[in-house]
Amino acid sequence: MEITYIQAINQALHEEMHRDENVFVMGEDVGELGGAFKATEGLLAAFGEERVIDTPIAEALIVGAGVGAAVLGMRPVVEMQFADFISCAFDQIVNMAATLRYRHGGRASCPMVIRAPSGAGVHGALFHSQNPEAWFTRVPGLKVVAPATVYDAKGLLKAAVRDDDPVIYFEHKRLYRSLKDDIPEGDFVVPIGVAELRQEGEELSIITYGGALNQCLDAARIVAKEDGLSVEVLDLRTLLPLDREAVLKTARKTGKVLVVHEDRLTGGFGGEVAALIAEHAFEDLDAPVRRLAALDAHTAFSPPLEEYILPNTNKIVDAIRSLAAY
Amino acid sequence: MPEAQTKTEAGAVAHRVEYELQLYNWMKLIRAFEERVSRLHRQNKIFGGVYSGAGQEAICTGICAPLQPGDFVAPLHRDLGVFLVRGVEPGRLMAQLMGKETGLSRGKDSFLHGGDLERGVFGSTSMLGSSLPVAVGAALKFRMKRENHIAVAFFGEGASSRGDVHEAMNFAGVRKLPVLFVCENNRYAYSTPLEKQMAIEDVADRAAAYGFAGHTVSGNDLLAVFDLTERVTRRIRAGGGPELIECKTYRFHGHSEHDAALYRDKDELVQWESRDPIPLYEFYLEKRGHDIKRIREEADARTHEILQAAVEFAEQSPYPKPEEALEDLYASPPAAGRRQAR
Ligand SMILES: Cc1ncc(C[n+]2csc(CCOP(=O)(O)OP(=O)(O)O)c2C)c(N)n1
Ligand SMILES: [Mg+2]
């Protein structure tokens, strides 16, 4: 049956809560409202108030309480109403959750998922558009995933719930209802830490993740048709831990790499990918690694500003062409 | 509000009468502005999140009217009225909501995140409650520079659950800083009802724990809010330390214009609609001997005119140029060579 990206998330939550009674959800408006985006719709009716917990507006509490339950063996899936507000829980994530196993000498774990609706392109402006993944991808002890397809939305969330480490799950708001796919019913997981080749190609590789994947695929189709260019597209799916082999493999294969993400350029995750390639695949490169990302500005509200700041299909097409011509 | 002290008793009375009508005009303007914004949002002329303050106009009006130029006010996300009562031009406010160059943030951010510091209105972020520590810092400056101003921080009962709110109130209490904390308790944080947010009924009760006074007042009763604020701000200005006013009120619309608010009880909404601050105040004016029909018509005509002009100004204003996206980031922008290429 064809379902949307947000329905895939909802299904994963339903199924995981059925499968394991230690799984519970917690966050602002997740109960009767079913979440600001309806990701948790129906959970309250199915599992009751004990396992579907509406909290006050208190992100540090939401994550911190998640840690407390997780360390005693529960599997909380906590929700940030928008990924932008994850900053309010920063300490609990990067200090409390991320170091928990380490400081207990490997004798404790924190099996928690933090769901974070992220991404721009919906006129969300400064505080409802953010892609804060790079604040977390440098924190050992955390795992960071960013599904770009309906299938992965479900499979990665299930994997995250079953994982024994804290996983931040960035779900892109623009994909919620725009992405639809016919995915297999029932149980499957997408392993954390494994990238996926979305399209094979010979002349150039795009490495991307999350909300930018479909723009990259569109751009690849355009240059295939108009320029006869054969572009490979690698979807990272998990940022931390990074699938280094997949990154290096595609870089070595085509010798030209364009890294694309919707987060900002400076300090963005693309820098890590580019550095990895420069360090380990330099000899195989035919051009410097190129990055395309949001400009180093906040995601402004006014349409011409927002458009100027964010990457889009046309900008990706231009970047492919200039890299191909190098 | 005209500051001048009137010399004679009759003068004072006339002054008060005129002032009370001004309060009415403000409430009417806020309501009309709110309703116009909602309409423009339905017509897709205003996009992004729109959070209506309809039903809560008496709070913005009653709190801000007694304030003085130079006071620092940090509104919450529904407080369009704060901008209007503080004297922000309606056209610029409308342009802000449309993402235009002439808006408060020159298109950078949406809705109420753009401030107007010339009028003492601080632009907040979306992160609820995070303006309270900032207001405390403003009060600290007033204290250090011996300025007779006060800082006012608005927050929802929902925001009161955040740590920032606790941190701000605690320090303001310790230092007896000139801060007025204003809680707009509309009984819901998005869909979450009061009883799921806190185990007490009155946010004002918490003030005692920080060592200052907390008051509750009907936030739909303009006179009550206004009179209390006058008294409280006089004390704060005189060095008495922070105080908290909790205004009991209700959101007439959904959380945002996207929200049908199906989680609320219809009867509850009807009950609160019957406590609409505007007819309530009209009743008072009538008791005062005014010809309310005439006053209402005049106010309607005036607000209509102001809004037409504001919408026209905003619609005719240009959007910012794309390259402006990289402006306003720094006071001293990086040298040309270091700027990002595009
Ligand atoms: C830190 C933070 N968490 C979550 C949100 C999302 N959010 C925006 S408004 C809102 C409800 C606010 O309730 P309240 O403070 O009572 O103000 P009201 O909307 O009722 O006026 C929520 C949860 C936010 N803006 N900031
Ligand atoms: Mg509220």
Side-chain angles (χ1 to χ4, degrees):
Chain A
M1 199 182 66
E2 199 177 67
I3 60 167
T4 61
Y5 182 93
I6 188 91
Q7 284 170 326
I9 293 169
N10 185 257
Q11 274 188 9
L13 292 171
H14 269 282
E15 290 175 16
E16 288 306 291
M17 289 182 76
H18 262 300
R19 189 189 55 77
D20 181 351
E21 63 177 23
N22 288 332
V23 178
F24 71 97
V25 306
M26 183 161 63
E28 294 153 16
D29 306 291
V30 297
E32 187 181 340
L33 188 69
F37 299 101
K38 305 288 174 209
T40 56
E41 193 161 46
L43 294 179
L44 179 65
F47 302 103
E49 288 205 14
E50 285 218 343
R51 293 176 68 197
V52 182
I53 303 172
D54 273 323
T55 66
I57 299 166
E59 285 73 13
L61 164 93
I62 293 167
V63 174
V67 172
V71 75
L72 296 182
M74 301 298 284
R75 292 189 173 267
V77 181
V78 303
E79 178 179 302
M80 301 286 104
Q81 197 158 82
F82 283 80
D84 309 58
F85 307 134
I86 204 169
S87 52
C88 300
F90 201 66
D91 171 57
Q92 288 289 346
I93 298 171
V94 304
N95 293 314
M96 184 58 77
T99 69
L100 191 141
R101 172 178 290 273
Y102 200 66
R103 67 186 199 270
H104 287 83
R107 292 190 189 88
S109 43
C110 184
M112 170 176 61
V113 183
I114 302 171
R115 287 184 37 245
S118 62
V122 291
H123 301 308
L126 268 47
F127 310 111
H128 291 76
S129 301
Q130 293 175 13
N131 290 288
E133 59 268 18
W135 292 345
F136 302 101
T137 48
R138 61 183 310 279
V139 183
L142 296 179
K143 292 176 179 169
V144 179
V145 301
T149 67
V150 176
Y151 185 89
D152 285 0
K154 182 165 177 182
L156 271 175
L157 185 48
K158 283 173 159 261
V161 170
R162 299 174 196 187
D163 200 282
D164 285 337
D165 292 311
V167 180
I168 308 182
Y169 177 95
F170 286 107
E171 45 195 68
H172 200 292
K173 302 193 291 287
R174 200 180 57 236
L175 306 183
Y176 274 159
R177 286 169 180 79
S178 68
L179 268 196
K180 291 193 188 82
D181 197 8
D182 200 352
I183 64 167
E185 271 176 48
D187 195 39
F188 63 86
V189 296
V190 170
I192 291 175
V194 182
E196 173 87 355
L197 214 51
R198 296 294 176 194
Q199 176 171 310
E200 295 211 32
E202 304 302 325
E203 287 159 277
L204 186 150
S205 304
I206 298 179
I207 301 177
T208 188
Y209 61 87
L213 173 67
N214 277 297
Q215 298 170 334
C216 291
L217 289 170
D218 287 345
R221 266 190 290 277
I222 291 171
V223 295
K225 201 165 143 223
E226 296 182 6
D227 309 51
L229 279 172
S230 165
V231 174
E232 180 146 303
V233 180
L234 180 70
D235 174 6
L236 292 175
R237 307 202 287 189
T238 297
L239 306 184
L240 188 66
L242 175 62
D243 187 346
R244 297 158 63 105
E245 279 88 69
V247 168
L248 293 174
K249 189 168 167 208
T250 188
R252 289 186 179 124
K253 176 180 172 190
T254 65
K256 287 184 176 178
V257 180
L258 171 65
V259 187
V260 181
H261 55 61
E262 193 184 274
D263 186 17
R264 284 188 288 271
L265 184 77
T266 301
F269 193 67
E272 187 57 36
V273 174
L276 178 72
I277 295 168
E279 252 185 319
H280 298 287
F282 185 76
E283 255 91 80
D284 298 294
L285 291 183
D286 298 321
V289 178
R290 166 106 215 254
R291 288 177 295 159
L292 181 68
L295 298 187
D296 287 332
H298 308 288
T299 309
F301 171 57
S302 191
L305 304 182
E306 188 185 36
E307 161 122 11
Y308 186 72
I309 290 166
L310 295 174
N312 60 32
T313 303
N314 289 339
K315 292 178 191 178
I316 299 168
V317 166
D318 290 346
I320 294 173
R321 285 180 177 148
S322 85
L323 184 58
Y326 183 88
Chain B
M1 135 84 185
E3 273 287 289
Q5 282 288 345
T6 35
K7 293 202 176 63
T8 66
E9 193 119 310
V13 170
H15 178 64
R16 170 87 189 187
V17 167
E18 193 184 306
Y19 191 58
E20 286 180 352
L21 289 176
Q22 174 62 37
L23 296 179
Y24 177 68
N25 286 332
W26 269 325
M27 280 215 294
K28 291 285 283 184
L29 176 62
I30 300 168
R31 172 68 55 87
F33 205 120
E34 296 279 8
E35 298 301 356
R36 181 65 70 95
V37 168
S38 300
R39 206 167 87 208
L40 289 165
H41 185 260
R42 282 195 297 277
Q43 298 168 341
N44 275 328
K45 291 184 177 169
I46 288 177
F47 38 87
V50 166
Y51 308 91
S52 171
Q56 303 182 201
E57 294 87 350
I59 302 170
C60 294
T61 306
I63 299 282
C64 289
L67 300 182
Q68 295 178 5
D71 289 344
F72 180 93
V73 186
L76 63 74
H77 51 284
R78 279 180 212 294
D79 290 339
L80 201 151
V82 165
F83 290 73
L84 293 171
V85 178
R86 292 293 285 170
V88 175
E89 289 151 48
R92 287 186 72 206
L93 193 51
M94 198 60 92
Q96 165 76 5
L97 308 186
M98 292 187 186
K100 296 299 182 77
E101 172 70 37
T102 50
L104 299 172
S105 68
R106 301 178 57 218
K108 297 300 192 311
D109 206 353
S110 62
F111 210 54
L112 303 186
H113 298 150
D116 185 350
L117 286 169
E118 276 168 41
R119 290 170 183 81
V121 182
F122 181 69
S124 51
T125 67
S126 282
M127 286 64 191
L128 294 164
S130 59
S131 288
L132 273 75
V134 176
V136 168
L140 200 58
K141 186 261 179 176
F142 295 149
R143 164 71 50 81
M144 290 192 286
K145 295 291 178 189
R146 309 276 183 275
E147 290 171 22
N148 197 25
H149 295 309
I150 69 171
V152 182
F154 289 85
F155 62 104
E157 90 295 338
S160 80
S161 300
R162 283 213 51 233
D164 286 27
V165 172
H166 162 74
E167 294 175 30
M169 290 193 184
N170 181 53
F171 186 65
V174 168
R175 296 285 169 139
K176 295 215 179 329
L177 292 170
V179 189
L180 171 60
F181 295 105
V182 180
C183 180
E184 298 187 46
N185 184 347
N186 58 13
R187 307 197 70 81
Y188 286 87
Y190 200 159
S191 75
T192 307
L194 196 59
E195 60 274 15
K196 281 192 178 165
Q197 303 180 53
M198 57 191 77
I200 54 175
E201 177 71 20
D202 298 332
V203 174
D205 284 353
R206 296 189 192 154
Y210 301 116
F212 52 83
H215 316 268
T216 58
V217 65
S218 162
N220 290 22
D221 184 340
L222 174 61
L223 276 188
V225 177
F226 179 82
D227 288 340
L228 178 62
T229 306
E230 270 206 317
R231 271 181 283 132
V232 166
T233 53
R234 209 176 298 130
R235 283 198 296 264
I236 297 174
R237 222 178 277 284
E243 297 194 36
L244 188 158
I245 295 179
E246 176 184 6
C247 303
K248 307 286 193 185
T249 187
Y250 200 77
R251 232 178 45 203
F252 283 180
H253 289 218
H255 166 63
S256 71
E257 294 301 286
H258 294 289
D259 172 30
L262 300 174
Y263 44 83
R264 289 198 310 203
D265 185 40
K266 280 214 182 66
D267 293 342
E268 186 184 78
L269 176 61
V270 169
Q271 281 168 20
W272 278 94
E273 278 174 340
S274 78
R275 300 173 197 142
D276 187 325
I278 294 177
L280 206 66
Y281 191 61
E282 285 178 346
F283 192 44
Y284 165 76
L285 291 177
E286 205 169 9
K287 288 270 174 208
R288 274 276 188 187
H290 291 287
D291 176 355
I292 193 62
K293 193 165 163 288
R294 187 179 57 80
I295 287 173
R296 190 190 299 126
E297 281 168 8
E298 280 173 13
D300 285 340
R302 195 174 315 120
T303 53
H304 184 74
E305 219 170 274
I306 293 172
L307 281 173
Q308 281 309 103
V311 171
E312 235 164 73
F313 172 80
E315 284 186 334
Q316 285 167 9
S317 293
Y319 281 113
K321 291 190 205 53
E323 309 79 51
E324 288 179 34
L326 298 177
E327 293 176 5
D328 302 330
L329 285 163
Y330 295 101
S332 47
R338 305 228 181 95
R339 240 175 271 149
Q340 55 196 316
R342 158 78 12 145

